[in-house]
Every structure is written in structure tokens, then in C-alpha cells.
Amino acid sequence: MKRYPFDYDPSQPFMKQVGNWVADVFYELLPEHGFEVRDEQIYMAFQLEKAFQEKRTLFAEAGVGTGKTLVYLLYSLCYARHTRKPVVVACANESLIEQLVKPEGDIAKLSRYLQLDIDARLGKSPEQYVCLVKLNEARFREEEAEQFEELYESLPGFVRNREALQSFHAYGDRRHYPQFNDEQWKKIGWDVYQDCFACDKRHRCGMTLSRDHYRKSSDIIVCSHDFYMEHVWTYEGRKREGQLPLLPDHSAVIFDEGHLLEFAAQKALAYKLKHPVFEELITRLLQGQIRESLAERIDQAIAQSENMFDTLKRESVAVPGSDRKEIRLNEHVLEEVRRFRMLLEAIDEELVFESGLYTLNEYNLRIVEEHLEMAQKALSLFESPATLLCWAEENESGFSLAIMPRTVKEVMRERVFGSSKPIIFSSATLSVDGGFDYMAESLGIGSYLSFSVASPYDYGNQMKVVAPEPYKGEAFAEKMKIAVQGIKQTGGRALLLFPAGEQLQQFKRELARYPELAGYRFRFEGDGEISTLIQAFQNDEESILCSSSLWEGLDIPGPSLSNVIIWSLPFPPHDPVFTAKRQQAEAPFEEVELPYMLLRLRQGIGRLIRSRDDSGIVMLLCERLQQRDGLREQIAALLPDGVVLGAMEH
């Protein structure tokens, strides 16, 4: 196979030759297949050439329709082959990933129209794979046991019957099991509390096999922001354990919808602790011949772990609009944490002596030591509560504690942006008030390149944006009436965006009280695998899709999406992470809440117009527009050129 898609001259600068070829692609090759020449695309190409040449961080803000994905894919392909290391394209969510890799996606288009053999492989987050251990339990314990048994019977023979190794192939991706809703998938999908190191099924696990597959990509690895940050956070630990990092050595990183990277970093950089997991791990040491003093310490630690988690549960309170519970850090909580940490330190010291006796299983010992080190590092943050962020989570799998440093900037600066490689942030919304300092400051980026190009679409004639006058009655009831009117106005064909899942569920419950919507087909996020729901919405033109996450990453041109109904302005939740950011800011609303909301609102509005032939309406049902002075004007200012914020009767 030819290494480069152009005739390479080693006597000339490589990136300059790439730039010339990319210009030929956009000016000559793609127009032959019906693509139009876009000046914005050419401008972006030259900016990426500079970033790759100088190995710099670049904020590439390009509006809808500029073709930014094709630009960064072309440069990534050439750069990967030049360095002989793949480029990682990290997307904000699973729906964006599917758009890249699906048969009619951008990678497939480039392969087909440019006759390129692109080795692009998918590295999905572990949560997207079925866990064989949890599936075995669910087959016999859960109400849906029959459905789970059907899934089990559909697994490859080498999983169920121990067939020969040569029959191995990747399997287990949630995308292939659209019949399960989110709650059902949690019962069988991998989660962070699974002990994969000691799992006897790990060599036949679909996640493991998929990981072996994508690691061999020579051109592009597509993954999520979450997965990339998990790679960064676990890199050193996995090397110490003798494991391969989650991602192979790579030459560059593209963060598609890069404005969301901070939230993925916060999620990945959190330590997660859970009593049943600790108890199961620590009791492995009791299986060997150990000294009585160590056995006593283990029993004490198990009891104290239970006490600590009971205390944390009593001192945690729910936060509206968030699945994170706030923990009241009083003296009692801090003392329980201190006692547990001291016992872990004592066990650690005992293990130093015990390991010299060679009575413990070396593999189990290494796993336990790694877990103890992680737990001690996390709990030590409680010594300085001012530098700590913690919260509790509680669901069907139990109660857990999450702990992280107050800011992620230092970690990001050292482990991501300290490397000498091109890092490209691509999105239609990266700037706030025309600048990129908000993004750079939140991620710890000191030096960067940037540019911004507008969308080529005629928004003034294609888009209408309206908001109601002040509500006369109860806000929820008024919003329901307007939403009903909007859905009927466009004959379905609507996307309803909610800032939080609680609001979506309330809307779902209230639908039964509106018989005029009985004939419409609604699809709700959580009722199935998200990319399957999106495909069904796109193919069923008069249906309605309701979501709390698809503010980004939804690309549906045509009449299937003619109405975007934004239920409430997407301000950040009052959970521990954002509470800490507010506390650090001199002007919390202006520095934290408003930039977050405006970036996300721009993305939500951007779901409507995806091609030159699209047209439709955006309805802002947000009561805060009527409650805070100046907010209406700030939102009007972020609308595309030619679009005004109009009034709506109700």
C-alpha cells in the first residue's frame, strides 16, 4: 500500500506537501463528487498545517457546514503515516463517534471518494461493553432474566463453550443490543467497580478483544473524551502493574467538540471508593497463611470501612438536576475518614513485612497493594478539605464515594498539554465573547493558536428563534402548552432538549395529560441505546426525540429535525464540582454560570440547521429569560448573523 496519498518528495517540508494535497482535495477532487468549495474549509486547512508543523495546541472554532471534520481527518491521516503512530480522535459522546465511523460517515466518504485505504478503528468506553460477570448474575437474579439469557445465548461460542482461540473476535458492544434501556444496561454493562485484573473471563471479554483490535490501528483511533482522559489518568498505574496503557503511543490528538473536555477530565480524574469492592479485595489476603496481626488489621479495616460509608450516607444530600450528592464535611465525617486511612496505612506496613515471607499469592498481593495505594492517596485529600472535591453517588449498584482534586488544570497541563504533539480542539463553540481564554484557563493551557470562522449558511432566512413573553401562570404548565403548540406546528419533527434528566422524566410523565399529542411518536433518551434512537428519529420523519445530552453531536439534516425546543437554559447544576468553581470565582454568574450556559445553548441551537436546504424554528421556553435583567440581550447576541430573538404568544 502506498504510504502517502500524494507523491512525497523527501527534500521538501512534509507538512507543506500535505497542505498542497489538501488544497487539491478541496478544490478539485471532492467537487468532482458533488462537494462544494468552501473558503472557510481552506482557511481552516492552512491553520491546521501550522499547528501540526509546530506541534502546537490549536483552538479551531468553525461553524456548522464548514466541513471541519474532513479537514482534520485529512491532516490526521497524513501525520499518522509520517510519524508511524496513529492519531487519536476523541469525541464528546458516543453519538459523535458513531457519526465518524458509521458506513455513511465522514471516514467512509473520504475512503470512497479519494480511494484511500484508511485504517480507522473504534475504541469505545468500557461502559459500552457487556460484562460477562454481571451478565451471569443477571441471568439468574433479575426480573429481565429471560432477556439477559437471550443475550447470553447470542454470544460467540468461545465465550459459552470455550472454543478454540482462533475463533476469537470482538463482540459485546452496546450498539448491537438496542433492546435494552439504560437501567437494564446498568445491570449487565461494565462499571468502574469490576475487578478485571482477577476476572477469569478477561481473556474472552469483548472489551478486552476490542482493545486488542483498536491498538493495532496504523492511522486513526476514534474514542470518547472520557476514554482518553481515563487513559491519561491510569497511564502510570497500568505501567506499574505491567499492563499496557489503554491507548497506544500516538502522534496527535483531536478533541472534537473540545469545549466539553473539562467535564470528561473531571469525571476521569475522580477516585471511586465503594465498601463491597474494598471488602472483596482485602479479604483475598485472608486466603493465604498470614500473621495474626495482619488478619486483625484487615478485620478492623472492614468494620471501619462500613462505619465510614454509613456516616457518609447519612451526611449526603441530593442535589436537584444532578446525580451527585453533596457530602456535609463535618468533624464526624473527617474523623471517620481519618480512622479508615490510618488502618490502611497500618495494613500497608504489615504487607511490606508479609511479602518477604512469600506466603501470599503474588498476583493478588499486587492488586490489593495498588488498590490500597489509590485509596490512601484519595483519602489523604481530606486532610485539606479546601483543596478537595468529593461527592456521593447512589444507584441500584449501591452507595459510592468519589474524590478528586479541586482543579484539574495542573494534571492537564502536565500530562496532556505538556507533551510535544499537535493537539486540536474542534468545535463550533469554543470562544466566549470572541476570545478563547475561558477554555484555556479552565484546562491549564498556557500557549495556543486559535482561529474562528463562521458558518456559510444563510441563517437569517433559514432559522427563526422565538421566546415567550413572561408566563402568566405556573411555568411548567405554560411550557407544556407551548411545547404542544410547537410540536403540532411542525407536525412532530422536533428535538426537545432538557438541561437535566429530571426535567425530561417530568415531561415524559405529563404527556399522558395531553391527548392532542397521542398520535405522535416520542423517543426518550434512556429508553434505548442512543445511536439507535437517533437513527430511528431520523428515519421516522414526524417523530419527536427528547434528550438531555444531545446538545452536541446530533447531525440530522433534512425535515426530520425542523424544530428545536429548548426546555430551560442549560446552566450548570449546583453539584459539588460547579459549587467549587463558583466559590473560587469573584463573580460566579459571569465567570462560571454564564459562559457554560452560553456555550451549551449555542450548541443546542446549532442542532437545527445542518445543510443549506434546512429551515426551521428554535423555541426557547426558558423562564429565566424573563427573570434576570440583560439575559435576553446576551442570548440575542449569540445568535447567528441575521437571526433575531422574536416574541412568542402563549
Side-chain angles (χ1 to χ4, degrees):
M1 182 184 70
K2 187 178 178 182
R3 183 174 176 184
Y4 301 117
F6 54 86
D7 293 326
Y8 173 55
D9 182 355
S11 67
Q12 299 297 318
F14 175 74
M15 292 310 303
K16 187 66 177 176
Q17 295 179 72
V18 174
N20 291 336
W21 172 70
V22 171
D24 289 342
V25 167
F26 289 130
Y27 278 125
E28 299 177 12
L29 300 180
L30 287 182
E32 293 177 1
H33 299 281
F35 289 77
E36 61 181 285
V37 178
R38 297 170 179 167
D39 292 338
E40 299 89 353
Q41 206 169 35
I42 304 299
Y43 178 74
M44 179 178 176
F46 284 114
Q47 300 301 313
L48 259 71
E49 178 183 329
K50 180 178 176 65
F52 275 95
Q53 178 65 44
E54 299 179 6
K55 299 180 180 180
R56 299 280 301 279
T57 295
L58 170 68
F59 289 120
E61 183 177 61
V64 177
T66 53
K68 51 185 175 293
T69 305
L70 297 181
V71 179
Y72 74 60
L73 285 174
L74 292 175
Y75 276 95
S76 296
L77 172 67
C78 295
Y79 197 73
R81 295 187 177 180
H82 184 62
T83 59
R84 298 187 184 274
K85 296 178 184 178
V87 171
V88 172
V89 177
C91 301
N93 53 44
E94 298 299 328
S95 60
L96 265 172
I97 289 175
E98 292 291 343
Q99 285 185 33
L100 276 177
V101 301
K102 63 185 179 182
E104 66 277 17
D106 289 326
I107 292 175
K109 289 177 183 176
L110 289 179
S111 297
R112 182 166 63 252
Y113 296 136
L114 301 182
Q115 298 183 343
L116 294 173
D117 186 10
I118 302 176
D119 184 11
R121 307 193 188 190
L122 184 57
K124 280 198 169 184
S125 297
E127 293 90 343
Q128 296 297 314
Y129 290 93
V130 65
C131 172
L132 297 178
V133 173
K134 292 176 68 175
L135 177 60
N136 273 341
E137 295 173 353
R139 288 166 57 207
F140 302 106
R141 297 182 184 177
E142 298 297 336
E143 295 178 3
E144 304 95 334
E146 186 174 342
Q147 284 182 271
F148 296 142
E149 182 65 29
E150 290 178 4
L151 189 158
Y152 177 77
E153 292 297 328
S154 73
L155 296 179
F158 64 77
V159 178
R160 296 174 286 108
N161 305 319
R162 300 290 179 177
E163 291 180 358
L165 296 181
Q166 58 262 32
S167 67
F168 272 33
H169 59 273
Y171 71 94
D173 183 347
R174 187 186 177 183
R175 180 73 172 82
H176 301 139
Y177 312 111
Q179 68 270 31
F180 296 110
N181 61 34
D182 285 2
E183 292 304 313
Q184 292 170 322
W185 185 257
K186 287 177 183 177
K187 297 176 181 178
I188 59 173
W190 183 92
D191 63 62
V192 70
Y193 301 108
Q194 298 308 304
D195 185 6
C196 299
F197 303 137
C199 180
D200 62 353
K201 299 176 174 60
R202 64 185 181 277
H203 298 304
R204 297 172 184 266
C205 169
M207 178 178 65
T208 302
L209 297 174
S210 297
R211 190 168 294 168
D212 291 341
H213 174 71
Y214 73 68
R215 289 185 61 84
K216 298 172 184 175
S217 173
S218 59
D219 293 335
I220 295 170
I221 297 175
V222 183
C223 68
S224 67
H225 289 180
D226 290 350
F227 191 58
Y228 188 83
M229 292 313 305
E230 186 71 15
H231 160 75
V232 170
W233 191 232
T234 61
Y235 182 83
E236 295 297 335
R238 293 181 68 88
K239 287 179 64 177
R240 285 197 304 270
E241 295 166 4
Q243 300 183 78
L244 291 172
L246 295 180
L247 291 168
D249 191 16
H250 46 281
S251 57
V253 187
I254 312 293
F255 291 117
D256 202 332
E257 301 298 0
H259 63 287
L260 295 176
L261 181 63
E262 181 186 7
F263 312 111
Q266 290 170 342
K267 179 180 177 182
L269 302 186
Y271 299 96
K272 296 287 184 74
L273 302 177
K274 197 173 185 179
H275 172 71
V277 174
F278 169 75
E279 183 175 11
E280 192 278 329
L281 276 170
I282 202 71
T283 51
R284 292 182 187 181
L285 300 178
L286 299 176
Q287 298 170 7
Q289 297 179 354
I290 62 174
R291 291 171 298 118
E292 185 177 349
S293 59
L294 175 57
E296 289 177 355
R297 294 290 193 190
I298 291 173
D299 288 340
Q300 292 169 0
I302 292 173
Q304 181 56 31
S305 172
E306 200 161 11
N307 290 338
M308 183 186 74
F309 276 96
D310 285 344
T311 301
L312 290 169
K313 194 169 185 177
R314 287 194 301 270
E315 297 297 334
S316 62
V317 293
V319 177
S322 173
D323 56 1
R324 296 168 174 172
K325 290 187 172 184
E326 181 182 357
I327 298 174
R328 295 184 288 249
L329 291 181
N330 52 42
E331 289 300 322
H332 184 44
V333 169
L334 296 176
E335 178 59 22
E336 293 293 330
V337 170
R338 187 190 69 81
R339 288 177 183 172
F340 184 53
R341 186 171 60 82
M342 297 296 287
L343 282 167
L344 296 186
E345 290 179 1
I347 292 174
D348 225 4
E349 293 172 2
E350 293 270 4
L351 288 177
V352 173
F353 181 79
E354 197 75 37
S355 61
L357 300 178
Y358 302 103
T359 59
L360 291 172
N361 178 282
E362 185 177 350
Y363 183 70
N364 278 342
L365 178 61
R366 190 170 76 246
I367 293 171
V368 173
E369 286 179 332
E370 185 71 25
H371 187 83
L372 290 178
E373 180 184 347
M374 181 272 290
Q376 289 179 76
K377 189 181 296 184
L379 295 173
S380 67
L381 295 174
F382 280 90
E383 293 180 0
S384 304
T387 65
L388 164 76
L389 277 177
C390 68
W391 63 89
E393 297 177 3
E394 189 168 18
N395 50 41
E396 68 284 342
S397 67
F399 183 87
S400 59
L401 170 66
I403 309 165
M404 64 175 283
R406 185 169 283 270
T407 64
V408 301
K409 291 191 294 186
E410 291 76 12
V411 177
M412 298 291 287
R413 185 181 294 120
E414 174 187 354
R415 302 192 186 184
V416 179
F417 303 108
S419 61
S420 179
K421 64 178 61 169
I423 297 178
I424 312 299
F425 286 80
S426 172
S427 176
T429 57
L430 290 170
S431 64
V432 177
D433 293 333
F436 299 88
D437 289 347
Y438 173 76
M439 281 287 301
E441 170 62 22
S442 64
L443 292 169
I445 301 172
S447 173
Y448 60 86
L449 304 172
S450 66
F451 73 89
S452 183
V453 293
S455 169
Y457 298 150
D458 183 8
Y459 283 97
N461 289 316
Q462 292 179 261
M463 174 188 286
K464 182 180 180 182
V465 181
V466 295
E469 296 297 328
Y471 294 126
K472 300 172 183 177
E474 194 270 325
F476 186 88
E478 293 287 306
K479 290 159 84 167
M480 283 296 298
K481 287 194 293 185
I482 296 173
V484 169
Q485 294 171 8
I487 290 169
K488 293 173 66 177
Q489 178 181 335
T490 53
R493 301 179 176 87
L495 168 69
L496 272 77
L497 289 174
F498 301 83
E502 293 173 356
Q503 296 180 28
L504 185 152
Q505 293 301 323
Q506 185 181 9
F507 175 84
K508 185 178 181 180
R509 290 192 298 269
E510 290 292 319
L511 274 182
R513 299 175 57 184
Y514 293 85
E516 58 265 55
L517 294 180
Y520 289 95
R521 294 173 295 283
F522 285 83
R523 292 181 171 86
F524 296 92
E525 181 178 351
D527 285 354
E529 193 272 330
I530 190 66
S531 60
T532 304
L533 289 175
I534 292 171
Q535 185 176 18
F537 169 62
Q538 185 171 12
N539 294 337
D540 185 5
E541 184 179 312
E542 297 179 358
S543 63
I544 299 104
L545 179 62
C546 303
S547 170
S548 60
S549 71
L550 293 175
W551 297 78
E552 301 90 2
L554 185 68
D555 185 16
I556 299 183
S560 291
L561 208 172
S562 301
N563 189 353
V564 175
I565 301 175
I566 295 178
W567 191 260
S568 296
L569 293 179
F571 282 102
H574 285 269
D575 67 8
V577 172
F578 281 101
T579 297
K581 296 188 75 167
R582 292 181 182 97
Q583 290 171 349
Q584 290 179 312
E586 292 184 7
F589 182 79
E590 289 76 12
E591 297 176 30
V592 177
E593 297 202 12
L594 189 61
Y596 174 94
M597 183 277 290
L598 293 177
L599 279 174
R600 204 155 202 221
L601 181 61
R602 285 174 64 193
Q603 282 285 341
I605 292 172
R607 297 312 96 205
L608 182 66
I609 305 300
R610 309 303 297 179
S611 74
R612 291 190 185 277
D613 298 324
D614 285 353
S615 62
I617 184 171
V618 176
M619 305 174 71
L620 306 177
L621 311 188
C622 321
E623 60 268 38
R624 287 187 71 171
L625 273 175
Q626 308 156 3
Q627 298 168 352
R628 191 175 184 100
D629 293 340
L631 194 54
R632 194 181 185 97
E633 289 72 22
Q634 288 169 310
I635 289 174
L638 68 79
L639 298 178
D641 289 344
V643 179
V644 297
L645 180 56
M648 174 173 50
E649 294 184 2
H650 60 91

